[in-house]
Amino acid sequence: MAQIPILILAAAATACIIASTPFTAGGADSEGSPIFGVKIPPGYRDWRLISVAHEEGNLNDLRAILGNDVAIEASREGRLPYPDGTIIARLAWSYDPLEESSKAFGRLQSFVAGPPKNGVQFMVKDSGKYASTGGWGFAQFNDGKPADEAAHNTCFPCHATVKARDFVFNRYAP
Amino acid sequence: MAQIPILILAAAATACIIASTPFTAGGADSEGSPIFGVKIPPGYRDWRLISVAHEEGNLNDLRAILGNDVAIEASREGRLPYPDGTIIARLAWSYDPLEESSKAFGRLQSFVAGPPKNGVQFMVKDSGKYASTGGWGFAQFNDGKPADEAAHNTCFPCHATVKARDFVFNRYAP
């Protein structure tokens, strides 16, 4: 049974889902994630867009998948496996109706990103360092602080459901 | 009555909504939009992310708002009005359930971006050139070709509903 919300696929009621107050970017000095030691990559909010998603259920968010240059090139070309150096970031925000839109149309029409929600997550490809987890290191940060070890233990088993896509759920949105 | 889906706010059944086959990037040589003469800005898919949204109703898409450097700096700082040179891009894709997620959880959980849908739209700030439309030029391209004049006539009246935000519906998602 898949249980981890790391990058798009998400369980509605697992240890990995930690309701968080709005995320504040951590930066290079952030603490590393348990198990994997992944830190918040500086400048990730400026990375280019891979794709977007909406999670229903308890997560109830709008999310964006960003990638560093290595990730963008690989995902754009659909190249698998992702090369070492790939970093994929998952940002998420509250799923909020747009008031102006509802007023204009007399019904719910537009949902937009509100405050940050459900933390920020990263996948880092290092086929040597993370050989036991498909070459990927995982991290979730809530308010700039890493989630606990139990949460990080759930990442890889869930991503294993998309082993055929090198453990990555998202696809590049052209 | 607002009628234009340019950038997030969207009417479900207006002339401006043109179902399109997947969009192919046009580039600098693209034809300009009617009325405004806005061309597809080269490289816009590599621009940084402003925000994300989901449109219900007939539009039924997932969308991303990207901005050139001028747009990103202004929106990040919440600075109004946007300076001349601002270009905001609205991309959209089919709103597709993620098969792997549905299988894992036994219900719909994740919706992800599928093929491009509903064209691509731009707002270009030039307070002199576009003085009669709040300083903004508008454009919608379907498959790299500009939508017709009737469609473009509907852009500004709808955006006028957010005149207090310099005619821009989206806000920067931190």
Side-chain angles (χ1 to χ4, degrees), chain A residues 4-12 17 52-63 65 90-95 117-118 121 169, chain B residues 54 62 95 98 101-102 105 107-112:
Chain A
I4 295 305
I6 297 281
L7 296 175
I8 292 189
L9 181 57
I17 295 163
V52 295
H54 164 54
E55 292 290 341
E56 293 197 337
N58 289 347
L59 285 172
N60 193 33
D61 65 35
L62 273 168
R63 37 186 62 195
I65 312 297
R90 191 281 287 149
L91 292 74
W93 302 271
S94 177
Y95 183 67
K117 187 179 177 183
N118 297 326
Q121 301 175 330
F169 285 102
Chain B
H54 164 54
L62 274 167
Y95 182 67
L98 182 65
S101 179
S102 297
F105 299 104
R107 60 179 171 81
L108 286 176
Q109 168 64 40
S110 310
F111 290 84
V112 299

Short mmCIF file of all heavy atoms in Angstrom, two decimals, chain A residues 4-12 17 52-63 65 90-95 117-118 121 169, chain B residues 54 62 95 98 101-102 105 107-112:
data_model
loop_
_atom_site.label_atom_id
_atom_site.label_comp_id
_atom_site.label_asym_id
_atom_site.label_seq_id
_atom_site.Cartn_x
_atom_site.Cartn_y
_atom_site.Cartn_z
N ILE A 4 3.02 7.55 0.59
CA ILE A 4 3.77 8.79 0.68
C ILE A 4 3.39 9.86 -0.33
O ILE A 4 3.23 9.57 -1.49
CB ILE A 4 5.24 8.50 0.42
CG1 ILE A 4 5.72 7.63 1.52
CG2 ILE A 4 6.05 9.79 0.44
CD1 ILE A 4 5.47 8.22 2.84
N PRO A 5 3.28 11.08 0.15
CA PRO A 5 2.90 12.16 -0.75
C PRO A 5 4.08 12.84 -1.42
O PRO A 5 3.91 13.89 -2.00
CB PRO A 5 2.18 13.14 0.18
CG PRO A 5 2.91 12.98 1.47
CD PRO A 5 3.31 11.51 1.54
N ILE A 6 5.28 12.27 -1.31
CA ILE A 6 6.42 12.94 -1.94
C ILE A 6 6.15 13.04 -3.45
O ILE A 6 5.99 12.05 -4.12
CB ILE A 6 7.72 12.15 -1.73
CG1 ILE A 6 8.08 12.05 -0.25
CG2 ILE A 6 8.86 12.77 -2.51
CD1 ILE A 6 8.72 13.24 0.36
N LEU A 7 6.08 14.24 -3.95
CA LEU A 7 5.91 14.51 -5.37
C LEU A 7 4.64 13.92 -5.97
O LEU A 7 4.64 12.81 -6.49
CB LEU A 7 7.13 14.06 -6.15
CG LEU A 7 8.40 14.83 -5.79
CD1 LEU A 7 9.59 14.26 -6.51
CD2 LEU A 7 8.26 16.30 -6.08
N ILE A 8 3.63 14.66 -5.93
CA ILE A 8 2.34 14.43 -6.57
C ILE A 8 1.50 13.33 -5.95
O ILE A 8 0.43 13.60 -5.45
CB ILE A 8 2.48 14.18 -8.08
CG1 ILE A 8 2.94 15.47 -8.77
CG2 ILE A 8 1.14 13.75 -8.66
CD1 ILE A 8 2.92 15.42 -10.24
N LEU A 9 1.93 12.10 -6.02
CA LEU A 9 1.10 11.03 -5.46
C LEU A 9 1.05 11.23 -3.96
O LEU A 9 2.04 11.47 -3.31
CB LEU A 9 1.71 9.68 -5.80
CG LEU A 9 0.92 8.48 -5.28
CD1 LEU A 9 -0.51 8.51 -5.79
CD2 LEU A 9 1.58 7.20 -5.71
N ALA A 10 -0.13 11.09 -3.39
CA ALA A 10 -0.22 11.48 -2.00
C ALA A 10 -1.29 10.70 -1.27
O ALA A 10 -2.39 10.53 -1.75
CB ALA A 10 -0.54 12.96 -1.90
N ALA A 11 -0.98 10.22 -0.13
CA ALA A 11 -1.96 9.56 0.72
C ALA A 11 -2.62 10.62 1.58
O ALA A 11 -2.01 11.60 1.97
CB ALA A 11 -1.29 8.53 1.59
N ALA A 12 -3.86 10.37 1.91
CA ALA A 12 -4.61 11.41 2.62
C ALA A 12 -4.40 11.35 4.12
O ALA A 12 -4.67 12.29 4.83
CB ALA A 12 -6.09 11.28 2.29
N ILE A 17 2.15 13.16 5.98
CA ILE A 17 1.38 14.36 5.73
C ILE A 17 1.33 15.19 6.99
O ILE A 17 0.67 14.84 7.96
CB ILE A 17 -0.03 14.02 5.26
CG1 ILE A 17 0.08 13.33 3.92
CG2 ILE A 17 -0.86 15.28 5.16
CD1 ILE A 17 -1.17 12.60 3.55
N VAL A 52 2.33 20.90 -13.11
CA VAL A 52 1.44 21.36 -12.05
C VAL A 52 0.45 20.24 -11.70
O VAL A 52 0.22 19.34 -12.50
CB VAL A 52 0.68 22.63 -12.47
CG1 VAL A 52 1.63 23.80 -12.68
CG2 VAL A 52 -0.13 22.38 -13.75
N ALA A 53 -0.14 20.32 -10.52
CA ALA A 53 -1.07 19.28 -10.11
C ALA A 53 -2.02 19.80 -9.04
O ALA A 53 -1.76 20.84 -8.41
CB ALA A 53 -0.32 18.06 -9.58
N HIS A 54 -3.11 19.08 -8.88
CA HIS A 54 -4.04 19.33 -7.77
C HIS A 54 -4.25 18.03 -7.01
O HIS A 54 -4.54 17.00 -7.62
CB HIS A 54 -5.38 19.84 -8.31
CG HIS A 54 -6.50 19.77 -7.31
ND1 HIS A 54 -6.40 20.35 -6.05
CD2 HIS A 54 -7.72 19.19 -7.34
CE1 HIS A 54 -7.52 20.13 -5.38
NE2 HIS A 54 -8.33 19.42 -6.13
N GLU A 55 -4.08 18.09 -5.70
CA GLU A 55 -4.35 16.93 -4.85
C GLU A 55 -5.68 17.14 -4.13
O GLU A 55 -5.91 18.20 -3.55
CB GLU A 55 -3.24 16.75 -3.81
CG GLU A 55 -1.91 16.34 -4.39
CD GLU A 55 -1.89 14.91 -4.93
OE1 GLU A 55 -2.77 14.11 -4.56
OE2 GLU A 55 -0.99 14.60 -5.73
N GLU A 56 -6.52 16.14 -4.19
CA GLU A 56 -7.78 16.18 -3.46
C GLU A 56 -7.59 15.60 -2.06
O GLU A 56 -6.46 15.44 -1.60
CB GLU A 56 -8.85 15.41 -4.23
CG GLU A 56 -9.23 16.08 -5.55
CD GLU A 56 -10.54 15.57 -6.10
OE1 GLU A 56 -10.97 14.46 -5.75
OE2 GLU A 56 -11.16 16.32 -6.88
N GLY A 57 -8.70 15.26 -1.40
CA GLY A 57 -8.63 14.63 -0.08
C GLY A 57 -8.08 15.57 0.97
O GLY A 57 -8.24 16.79 0.89
N ASN A 58 -7.43 14.99 1.97
CA ASN A 58 -6.92 15.80 3.08
C ASN A 58 -5.84 16.77 2.63
O ASN A 58 -5.64 17.81 3.25
CB ASN A 58 -6.38 14.90 4.19
CG ASN A 58 -7.49 14.18 4.93
OD1 ASN A 58 -8.67 14.53 4.78
ND2 ASN A 58 -7.13 13.17 5.71
N LEU A 59 -5.11 16.40 1.60
CA LEU A 59 -4.05 17.29 1.13
C LEU A 59 -4.64 18.60 0.59
O LEU A 59 -4.22 19.68 0.94
CB LEU A 59 -3.21 16.61 0.05
CG LEU A 59 -2.24 15.55 0.55
CD1 LEU A 59 -1.62 14.81 -0.61
CD2 LEU A 59 -1.15 16.18 1.42
N ASN A 60 -5.62 18.45 -0.32
CA ASN A 60 -6.37 19.59 -0.84
C ASN A 60 -5.48 20.80 -1.15
O ASN A 60 -5.59 21.85 -0.52
CB ASN A 60 -7.45 19.98 0.18
CG ASN A 60 -8.48 20.93 -0.41
OD1 ASN A 60 -8.80 20.84 -1.59
ND2 ASN A 60 -8.97 21.84 0.40
N ASP A 61 -4.62 20.61 -2.12
CA ASP A 61 -3.71 21.70 -2.46
C ASP A 61 -3.55 21.85 -3.98
O ASP A 61 -4.03 21.02 -4.76
CB ASP A 61 -2.34 21.49 -1.79
CG ASP A 61 -1.58 20.25 -2.29
OD1 ASP A 61 -1.69 19.90 -3.48
OD2 ASP A 61 -0.88 19.62 -1.47
N LEU A 62 -2.92 22.92 -4.36
CA LEU A 62 -2.41 23.10 -5.72
C LEU A 62 -0.90 23.05 -5.62
O LEU A 62 -0.33 23.59 -4.67
CB LEU A 62 -2.83 24.46 -6.30
CG LEU A 62 -4.19 24.54 -6.98
CD1 LEU A 62 -4.57 25.98 -7.22
CD2 LEU A 62 -4.19 23.76 -8.30
N ARG A 63 -0.25 22.37 -6.57
CA ARG A 63 1.18 22.19 -6.45
C ARG A 63 1.90 22.41 -7.76
O ARG A 63 1.31 22.29 -8.84
CB ARG A 63 1.51 20.80 -5.89
CG ARG A 63 0.62 19.69 -6.38
CD ARG A 63 0.92 18.37 -5.66
NE ARG A 63 0.70 18.42 -4.22
CZ ARG A 63 1.16 17.51 -3.35
NH1 ARG A 63 1.87 16.48 -3.79
NH2 ARG A 63 0.92 17.62 -2.07
N ILE A 65 5.66 21.45 -9.70
CA ILE A 65 6.90 20.69 -9.71
C ILE A 65 7.93 21.51 -10.48
O ILE A 65 7.74 21.82 -11.65
CB ILE A 65 6.72 19.32 -10.42
CG1 ILE A 65 5.47 18.60 -9.90
CG2 ILE A 65 7.97 18.48 -10.26
CD1 ILE A 65 5.51 18.23 -8.44
N ARG A 90 8.95 19.93 -5.12
CA ARG A 90 7.49 19.99 -5.12
C ARG A 90 7.05 21.05 -4.14
O ARG A 90 7.23 20.91 -2.94
CB ARG A 90 6.89 18.62 -4.76
CG ARG A 90 5.39 18.53 -5.01
CD ARG A 90 4.55 19.20 -3.91
NE ARG A 90 4.53 18.44 -2.68
CZ ARG A 90 4.42 18.99 -1.48
NH1 ARG A 90 4.37 20.31 -1.32
NH2 ARG A 90 4.39 18.23 -0.41
N LEU A 91 6.46 22.12 -4.66
CA LEU A 91 5.87 23.17 -3.83
C LEU A 91 4.36 22.97 -3.81
O LEU A 91 3.79 22.42 -4.75
CB LEU A 91 6.18 24.55 -4.42
CG LEU A 91 7.63 25.04 -4.39
CD1 LEU A 91 8.49 24.31 -5.41
CD2 LEU A 91 7.70 26.54 -4.67
N ALA A 92 3.71 23.42 -2.77
CA ALA A 92 2.25 23.29 -2.71
C ALA A 92 1.65 24.46 -1.94
O ALA A 92 2.29 25.04 -1.05
CB ALA A 92 1.85 21.98 -2.06
N TRP A 93 0.43 24.78 -2.33
CA TRP A 93 -0.28 25.89 -1.72
C TRP A 93 -1.73 25.50 -1.47
O TRP A 93 -2.27 24.60 -2.10
CB TRP A 93 -0.26 27.12 -2.65
CG TRP A 93 1.09 27.59 -3.02
CD1 TRP A 93 1.86 28.50 -2.36
CD2 TRP A 93 1.87 27.19 -4.17
NE1 TRP A 93 3.06 28.69 -3.01
CE2 TRP A 93 3.09 27.90 -4.13
CE3 TRP A 93 1.65 26.32 -5.23
CZ2 TRP A 93 4.09 27.76 -5.09
CZ3 TRP A 93 2.65 26.17 -6.19
CH2 TRP A 93 3.84 26.89 -6.11
N SER A 94 -2.35 26.25 -0.59
CA SER A 94 -3.77 26.07 -0.32
C SER A 94 -4.58 26.20 -1.61
O SER A 94 -4.24 27.00 -2.49
CB SER A 94 -4.20 27.14 0.71
OG SER A 94 -5.57 27.07 0.95
N TYR A 95 -5.63 25.40 -1.71
CA TYR A 95 -6.49 25.36 -2.90
C TYR A 95 -7.67 26.29 -2.66
O TYR A 95 -8.68 25.89 -2.07
CB TYR A 95 -6.95 23.90 -3.09
CG TYR A 95 -7.79 23.58 -4.28
CD1 TYR A 95 -7.28 23.67 -5.57
CD2 TYR A 95 -9.10 23.13 -4.12
CE1 TYR A 95 -8.06 23.32 -6.66
CE2 TYR A 95 -9.88 22.77 -5.21
CZ TYR A 95 -9.36 22.88 -6.47
OH TYR A 95 -10.13 22.52 -7.56
N LYS A 117 1.36 25.32 1.75
CA LYS A 117 0.69 24.24 2.49
C LYS A 117 1.42 22.94 2.23
O LYS A 117 1.99 22.76 1.15
CB LYS A 117 -0.76 24.15 1.99
CG LYS A 117 -1.65 23.20 2.77
CD LYS A 117 -3.07 23.22 2.19
CE LYS A 117 -3.95 22.22 2.91
NZ LYS A 117 -5.30 22.15 2.32
N ASN A 118 1.36 22.02 3.17
CA ASN A 118 1.92 20.67 3.00
C ASN A 118 3.43 20.66 2.76
O ASN A 118 3.96 19.70 2.17
CB ASN A 118 1.19 19.93 1.88
CG ASN A 118 -0.29 19.70 2.20
OD1 ASN A 118 -0.64 19.50 3.37
ND2 ASN A 118 -1.14 19.76 1.20
N GLN A 121 8.96 19.61 -0.85
CA GLN A 121 9.64 18.32 -0.94
C GLN A 121 10.66 18.32 -2.06
O GLN A 121 10.50 19.02 -3.06
CB GLN A 121 8.60 17.22 -1.19
CG GLN A 121 7.55 17.13 -0.08
CD GLN A 121 6.45 16.13 -0.38
OE1 GLN A 121 6.12 15.89 -1.54
NE2 GLN A 121 5.90 15.54 0.66
N PHE A 169 6.84 10.48 -10.36
CA PHE A 169 5.45 10.49 -10.80
C PHE A 169 5.19 11.52 -11.90
O PHE A 169 4.41 11.29 -12.80
CB PHE A 169 4.52 10.80 -9.62
CG PHE A 169 4.36 9.64 -8.68
CD1 PHE A 169 5.04 9.61 -7.48
CD2 PHE A 169 3.54 8.59 -9.01
CE1 PHE A 169 4.89 8.54 -6.61
CE2 PHE A 169 3.39 7.50 -8.15
CZ PHE A 169 4.08 7.47 -6.95
N HIS B 54 -6.47 26.09 -11.04
CA HIS B 54 -7.34 25.11 -11.69
C HIS B 54 -8.64 25.81 -12.07
O HIS B 54 -9.26 26.48 -11.24
CB HIS B 54 -7.65 23.94 -10.75
CG HIS B 54 -8.81 23.09 -11.17
ND1 HIS B 54 -8.89 22.52 -12.42
CD2 HIS B 54 -9.95 22.74 -10.53
CE1 HIS B 54 -10.02 21.84 -12.52
NE2 HIS B 54 -10.68 21.96 -11.39
N LEU B 62 -5.68 22.62 -15.80
CA LEU B 62 -4.68 23.05 -14.82
C LEU B 62 -3.81 24.07 -15.53
O LEU B 62 -3.46 23.89 -16.70
CB LEU B 62 -3.82 21.87 -14.35
CG LEU B 62 -4.36 21.04 -13.20
CD1 LEU B 62 -3.56 19.76 -13.06
CD2 LEU B 62 -4.32 21.82 -11.88
N TYR B 95 -6.87 18.56 -17.47
CA TYR B 95 -6.95 18.24 -16.03
C TYR B 95 -7.19 16.74 -15.92
O TYR B 95 -8.32 16.27 -15.96
CB TYR B 95 -8.11 19.04 -15.45
CG TYR B 95 -8.37 18.92 -13.98
CD1 TYR B 95 -7.46 19.41 -13.05
CD2 TYR B 95 -9.56 18.38 -13.51
CE1 TYR B 95 -7.72 19.34 -11.69
CE2 TYR B 95 -9.83 18.31 -12.15
CZ TYR B 95 -8.91 18.79 -11.25
OH TYR B 95 -9.17 18.72 -9.90
N LEU B 98 -4.42 11.10 -12.22
CA LEU B 98 -3.17 10.34 -12.32
C LEU B 98 -3.49 8.87 -12.04
O LEU B 98 -3.86 8.50 -10.93
CB LEU B 98 -2.14 10.87 -11.33
CG LEU B 98 -0.76 10.18 -11.36
CD1 LEU B 98 -0.06 10.43 -12.68
CD2 LEU B 98 0.11 10.67 -10.21
N SER B 101 -1.99 7.04 -9.08
CA SER B 101 -2.51 7.49 -7.81
C SER B 101 -3.88 6.86 -7.53
O SER B 101 -4.15 6.40 -6.42
CB SER B 101 -2.62 9.02 -7.83
OG SER B 101 -3.13 9.50 -6.62
N SER B 102 -4.70 6.83 -8.54
CA SER B 102 -6.03 6.24 -8.36
C SER B 102 -5.93 4.76 -8.00
O SER B 102 -6.66 4.25 -7.16
CB SER B 102 -6.85 6.41 -9.64
OG SER B 102 -7.07 7.77 -9.91
N PHE B 105 -4.72 4.33 -4.31
CA PHE B 105 -5.59 4.76 -3.22
C PHE B 105 -7.04 4.33 -3.37
O PHE B 105 -7.85 4.54 -2.48
CB PHE B 105 -5.50 6.28 -3.04
CG PHE B 105 -4.11 6.71 -2.71
CD1 PHE B 105 -3.30 7.31 -3.65
CD2 PHE B 105 -3.60 6.46 -1.45
CE1 PHE B 105 -2.00 7.67 -3.35
CE2 PHE B 105 -2.30 6.81 -1.14
CZ PHE B 105 -1.50 7.41 -2.09
N ARG B 107 -9.25 5.54 -5.15
CA ARG B 107 -10.15 6.66 -5.40
C ARG B 107 -9.35 7.75 -6.12
O ARG B 107 -8.12 7.73 -6.13
CB ARG B 107 -10.72 7.21 -4.10
CG ARG B 107 -9.63 7.72 -3.16
CD ARG B 107 -10.21 8.29 -1.87
NE ARG B 107 -9.18 8.58 -0.89
CZ ARG B 107 -8.43 9.67 -0.88
NH1 ARG B 107 -8.61 10.58 -1.79
NH2 ARG B 107 -7.51 9.84 0.05
N LEU B 108 -10.06 8.73 -6.65
CA LEU B 108 -9.37 9.86 -7.26
C LEU B 108 -8.63 10.65 -6.20
O LEU B 108 -9.20 11.00 -5.17
CB LEU B 108 -10.37 10.77 -7.98
CG LEU B 108 -10.94 10.22 -9.29
CD1 LEU B 108 -11.99 11.18 -9.84
CD2 LEU B 108 -9.82 10.04 -10.31
N GLN B 109 -7.37 10.86 -6.39
CA GLN B 109 -6.57 11.61 -5.42
C GLN B 109 -5.79 12.74 -6.09
O GLN B 109 -5.79 13.86 -5.63
CB GLN B 109 -5.59 10.67 -4.71
CG GLN B 109 -4.50 11.35 -3.89
CD GLN B 109 -5.05 12.14 -2.73
OE1 GLN B 109 -5.98 11.71 -2.06
NE2 GLN B 109 -4.50 13.33 -2.50
N SER B 110 -5.15 12.41 -7.22
CA SER B 110 -4.24 13.37 -7.84
C SER B 110 -4.70 13.71 -9.25
O SER B 110 -5.05 12.82 -10.03
CB SER B 110 -2.84 12.75 -7.94
OG SER B 110 -2.42 12.22 -6.70
N PHE B 111 -4.70 14.98 -9.56
CA PHE B 111 -4.96 15.44 -10.92
C PHE B 111 -3.72 16.15 -11.42
O PHE B 111 -3.18 17.02 -10.73
CB PHE B 111 -6.17 16.38 -10.95
CG PHE B 111 -7.46 15.66 -10.68
CD1 PHE B 111 -7.86 15.42 -9.38
CD2 PHE B 111 -8.25 15.21 -11.72
CE1 PHE B 111 -9.05 14.75 -9.11
CE2 PHE B 111 -9.42 14.52 -11.47
CZ PHE B 111 -9.83 14.29 -10.17
N VAL B 112 -3.29 15.77 -12.61
CA VAL B 112 -2.03 16.30 -13.13
C VAL B 112 -2.25 16.90 -14.51
O VAL B 112 -3.28 16.68 -15.15
CB VAL B 112 -0.95 15.19 -13.19
CG1 VAL B 112 -0.68 14.64 -11.79
CG2 VAL B 112 -1.37 14.07 -14.13
#
